[in-house]
Amino acid sequence: IYDYHHQKILETIPGENSAGLSLTWAPLTADQSGSMFAVGYESGVVKVLSYTKKGLESIKKFRPHTDAITSMCFSPDGELLATSSKDGLIFFVMVKNSFSPLGFTKLKVPVKSLSWKSDGRWRSFCCEDGRIFQMLRPTEANQESTTSYNLENVIVVPHSSFTRKEKPTAAVVDQKPEEEPKEGPKDSEST
């Protein structure tokens, strides 16, 4: 943590030998103090930390990926943290349940950037090949099992088809969705 005003290092994160590649602050809905943030590393590790007047405190460390973290973001309601990696996974953890795993979706192309819509129902992501997709928020009902944490029937729609008439696509997902989205984002709401 660097204080630009006073031009000095306040804290360093000990014990991680790989480069930090992504950082995201938790919304106030997840942490009312506004001090919690997550850092994603080249090793696939995520560290959740809190910075207060007492200093830097480690909250949780976990490894949802086998390759470098490319992006992370908290849902607007603070209930989920989504991470993406060069390994082609988007991984979701439940924040209010001690960052326990909800599950993952395996994509054919790595994700470079993640974002939640303000309503928290849809997530947008940009792939390495330049395509942009939306994904309906996963729930525990999507879990295949708590052994593999594979999320089944995840609804993914391409950015160019943000209408209710379009069917989900399996072009970017390693599994084929079986149901149509009940409601997709409107063009005026797209990010």
Side-chain angles (χ1 to χ4, degrees):
I1 308 263
Y2 188 78
D3 181 343
Y4 278 99
H5 181 70
H6 294 101
Q7 300 290 307
K8 66 178 187 176
I9 295 174
L10 300 177
E11 293 276 346
T12 58
I13 302 170
E16 191 55 47
N17 295 325
S18 70
L21 301 177
S22 183
L23 184 142
T24 186
W25 285 93
L28 294 176
T29 51
D31 173 42
Q32 292 182 349
S33 71
S35 65
M36 185 169 70
F37 62 98
V39 180
Y41 291 90
E42 193 172 38
S43 62
V45 167
V46 172
K47 285 186 178 179
V48 181
L49 304 157
S50 178
Y51 185 69
T52 64
K53 291 179 182 179
K54 295 178 184 178
L56 201 56
E57 176 189 340
S58 179
I59 296 172
K60 185 79 171 187
K61 179 180 176 180
F62 54 98
R63 188 172 185 219
H65 299 283
T66 59
D67 208 336
I69 304 286
T70 56
S71 186
M72 300 183 307
C73 62
F74 286 90
S75 61
D77 61 10
E79 292 181 5
L80 294 177
L81 171 64
T83 65
S84 65
S85 170
K86 289 183 179 180
D87 62 13
L89 297 180
I90 296 178
F91 203 95
F92 297 89
V93 294
M94 297 178 283
V95 174
K96 298 200 180 200
N97 198 9
S98 299
F99 294 91
S100 61
L102 172 62
F104 66 89
T105 298
K106 174 73 172 155
L107 306 174
K108 293 179 182 178
V109 181
V111 171
K112 298 297 272 181
S113 179
L114 298 168
S115 181
W116 288 92
K117 287 187 55 68
S118 59
D119 67 6
R121 288 190 59 225
W122 289 88
R123 339 198 6 26
S124 298
F125 54 95
C126 253
C127 292
E128 196 171 75
D129 64 3
R131 291 183 293 168
I132 301 170
F133 290 88
Q134 290 260 3
M135 179 175 144
L136 192 60
R137 180 186 180 127
T139 66
E140 291 180 83
N142 295 111
Q143 270 185 351
E144 182 180 281
S145 73
T146 54
T147 306
S148 75
Y149 294 106
N150 185 34
L151 296 172
E152 298 238 320
N153 299 318
V154 175
I155 297 173
V156 176
V157 288
H159 181 52
S160 62
S161 64
F162 286 170
T163 65
R164 295 179 182 164
K165 296 177 184 177
E166 295 291 330
K167 292 187 177 192
T169 181
V172 76
V173 182
D174 274 351
Q175 57 198 8
K176 184 175 180 175
E178 295 175 5
E179 64 182 68
E180 294 185 21
K182 293 180 175 74
E183 180 179 329
K186 298 177 183 118
D187 284 328
S188 62
E189 297 176 352
S190 61
T191 54

